[in-house]
Amino acid sequence: MKVRFYDIGSVEDAKLFYAVTAARYRGGWIWVRHKERVTWEMPGGRREPGEAILETARRELYEETGAVRYRQVPVCLYSVTPEGGAESFGGLFYAEVDELGDLPDSEIGEVAFFDGEPEALTYPQIQPFLLEKIRQAARPEPGESR
């Protein structure tokens, strides 16, 4: 598995299929657990047709965490290439969450907060690289409020 990072705007928008947000709340990193798994992942998911990648990031952050007040900023684009597979692209975002509401009815079974990354990751060959990229960006100043 190979993870690569790209500057915003350097990959054709139509190629972006995923949005992932590394989010903090009250000093902890937000991780979510799918109802059908015992592992943890960052909030994120697939882009819907006609949706801007920032809207994907906002929608997924809300659907998977219940975040209702937050500041979110794009950090970079990334790609994942499985051994012998095709490269797929996504957007990586950072958010500071001020308020969490009720968790919407979705595939997420649990939201938890960690100082770093949990031991049991859903995507262990990808998520540590995404979190490290956020850390290298020195937690960029979140922009637009929601």
Side-chain angles (χ1 to χ4, degrees), residues 133-146:
K133 185 66 173 177
I134 294 294
R135 288 179 169 143
Q136 289 173 1
R139 293 196 199 137
E141 281 299 312
E144 208 171 311
S145 293
R146 177 129 177 137

Side-chain angles (χ1 to χ4, degrees), residues 102-145:
D102 292 334
L103 187 61
D105 185 27
S106 72
E107 73 275 7
I108 300 304
E110 185 179 358
V111 177
F113 313 97
F114 295 87
D115 289 334
E117 60 198 47
E119 285 186 29
L121 295 174
T122 304
Y123 306 104
Q125 296 176 311
I126 302 169
Q127 293 168 321
F129 294 103
L130 301 182
L131 187 58
E132 181 58 28
K133 185 66 173 177
I134 294 294
R135 288 179 169 143
Q136 289 173 1
R139 293 196 199 137
E141 281 299 312
E144 208 171 311
S145 293

